[in-house]
Amino acid sequence: MPMTTPAESVFAPLPNATRAARPEFESGQRFADIPPAHEIEAEISRLRRERNAVILAHYYQDGELQDIADFVGDSLELSRKAAETRADVIAFCGVHFMAETAKILNPDKTVVVPDVDAGCSLADRCPAPAFAEWLSQYPGHTVVSYINCSAAVKAMSDVICTSANACKIVASLPADRPIVFAPDRHLGRWVARQTGRELVLWPGFCIVHEQFSARRLVKLKTEHPRAKVLAHPECEEAVLALADFVGSTSALLRHVESSEHDCFIIATEAGILHQMRRRRPDATFITAQPHSGCDCALCPYMRLNTFEKLFVALRDLQPAIAVAPNVRERARAALDRMMEISARP
Ligand code: 13P
Ligand code: SF4
């Protein structure tokens, strides 16, 4: 099935346009008066009660942040939780676009993040002005954007998807409707194959998932012949072709829980192992390896969040996420469309 990608020139590195500068962070002032290590967990819990806050954490966060959270989930589950919470404050342990999504869904609540610099290579490499210019080449196309993008890009989209519902969203669109898909080319290519739809792809990628090497995966499979390979659809096509199961983080977790096998090679961010080990203490988990360099399979953005920064965010209610009302309304419409299609039987 034909798939088109735009020229790589739109993909030149650009300055971070989605997150404002924060002089108080640069000066280090906000990190004064942090409680000692043995008290910080209790202090976070005290602030959570006082602020009537809910702590949400993505599966890619460090285990201790997952453990202190009220709810741990994937992007779709966290959006749902954010939409239904009755808390006054949402402390979002994840990356910026996730907290921004929570703010779009809850304009009257305070949404704070431990570190406002916790971005995402997909969102950061799809700046709104370049995206608008790119879209102008595809009039009449339905714009489907992966939730890993800025509020401004969401506002230019017809419908949002996550890795958990991307196939359902694309398959729900009328068969004669041309579609552009942004910003993850690997997820887009996988969705195109699953649904049989032709998608025009923005050439973005996740720096963590694109690192996994098919060649090294073949070697690992030979060393562990019993192991089943589980991969996130943000991985390259050659890695997905070697996988026994492909799915969102929550789908990978469910698969591990219900599988009769007890040895798995995991091609996604290693934070997920915290929940996998908990749900299957009998099983062995091996992380897939990158082409070269760091072997940790950790997202450097997610790892900017720490216990100390979560404490400071709850204490100061900063850094707080803001979304301009005109952007918010249009982004909200695209998110609502996702929720509506996603809830269909
Ligand atoms: P999901 O939470 O949709 O599985 O996405 C993974 C991811 O990379 C989030 O940044
Ligand atoms: Fe973005 Fe990849 Fe990190 Fe997820 S793992 S937040 S897609 S850089």
Side-chain angles (χ1 to χ4, degrees):
M1 141 217 354
M3 275 175 282
T4 44
T5 55
E8 294 280 326
S9 59
V10 294
F11 198 46
L14 281 143
N16 175 353
T18 56
R19 298 184 299 281
R22 32 165 216 167
E24 76 282 15
F25 263 79
E26 265 86 74
S27 69
Q29 274 165 21
R30 295 197 51 224
F31 292 98
D33 303 324
I34 305 265
H38 65 281
E39 285 175 18
I40 197 157
E41 193 173 334
E43 283 297 298
I44 289 171
S45 294
R46 177 183 62 78
L47 286 168
R48 166 171 36 200
R49 277 193 306 279
E50 282 177 18
R51 302 284 194 207
N52 186 26
V54 64
I55 301 175
L56 304 181
H58 191 269
Y59 290 128
Y60 292 168
Q61 289 290 262
D62 195 61
E64 65 180 8
L65 284 173
Q66 293 189 38
D67 289 346
I68 205 167
D70 298 290
F71 183 79
V72 186
D74 70 359
S75 304
L76 181 61
E77 294 164 340
L78 292 171
S79 302
R80 288 199 180 118
K81 275 283 164 200
E84 69 196 27
T85 184
R86 299 177 69 156
D88 296 320
V89 173
I90 299 172
F92 211 117
C93 300
V95 290
H96 189 271
F97 76 81
M98 296 178 176
E100 206 176 43
T101 302
K103 182 67 180 176
I104 292 165
L105 297 169
N106 293 283
D108 300 329
K109 294 189 194 301
T110 301
V111 179
V112 292
V113 286
D115 192 320
V116 78
D117 277 337
C120 167
S121 60
L122 282 166
D124 290 357
R125 296 295 188 94
C126 186
F131 189 59
E133 196 185 321
W134 180 68
L135 282 185
S136 68
Q137 302 170 73
Y138 303 104
H141 285 57
T142 296
V143 182
V144 180
S145 293
Y146 188 30
I147 199 163
N148 297 36
C149 64
S150 67
V153 166
K154 286 185 178 72
M156 284 184 255
S157 308
D158 295 301
V159 57
I160 304 303
C161 69
T162 74
S163 55
N165 61 21
C167 291
K168 188 172 183 178
I169 301 284
V170 166
S172 77
L173 299 173
D176 58 350
R177 191 81 60 81
I179 303 168
V180 298
F181 187 96
D184 189 343
R185 60 185 172 196
H186 301 304
L187 175 66
R189 197 175 292 121
W190 181 73
V191 170
R193 292 217 187 290
Q194 299 300 306
T195 58
R197 298 297 296 264
E198 184 179 337
L199 304 178
V200 180
L201 304 176
W202 174 270
F205 60 91
C206 160
I207 54 165
V208 180
H209 290 87
E210 203 182 64
Q211 272 294 309
F212 295 124
S213 153
R215 193 174 43 78
R216 292 183 74 180
L217 189 50
V218 169
K219 199 161 163 269
L220 265 186
K221 275 169 73 107
T222 314
E223 287 162 11
H224 305 274
R226 274 189 319 115
K228 295 289 164 196
V229 178
L230 312 187
H232 194 280
E234 288 176 13
C235 295
E236 281 188 328
E237 199 170 20
V239 170
L240 296 180
L242 294 167
D244 297 290
F245 181 79
V246 177
S248 67
T249 45
S250 53
L252 298 182
L253 263 179
R254 281 195 300 274
H255 186 85
V256 159
E257 249 178 330
S258 61
S259 172
E260 65 201 13
H261 299 281
D262 65 358
C263 186
F264 304 94
I265 299 171
I266 306 298
T268 192
E269 214 270 1
I272 190 95
L273 297 178
H274 187 64
Q275 299 293 335
M276 286 182 170
R277 290 193 178 113
R278 181 167 288 171
R279 295 179 198 196
R280 283 294 305 275
D282 61 305
T284 304
F285 296 100
I286 302 151
T287 46
Q289 295 163 343
H291 291 286
S292 60
C294 172
D295 246 10
C296 64
L298 299 179
C299 170
Y301 303 101
M302 289 275 182
R303 303 292 153 167
L304 286 174
N305 293 330
T306 62
F307 244 41
E308 288 74 14
K309 291 177 192 171
L310 174 60
F311 166 80
V312 171
L314 282 167
R315 182 192 66 191
D316 302 350
L317 296 183
Q318 288 288 339
I321 303 291
V323 182
N326 59 334
V327 172
R328 192 193 77 77
E329 276 157 32
R330 284 180 291 140
R332 173 76 197 241
L335 279 165
D336 284 349
R337 213 157 290 134
M338 170 184 83
M339 298 290 196
E340 185 269 307
I341 297 171
S342 202
R344 288 181 197 165

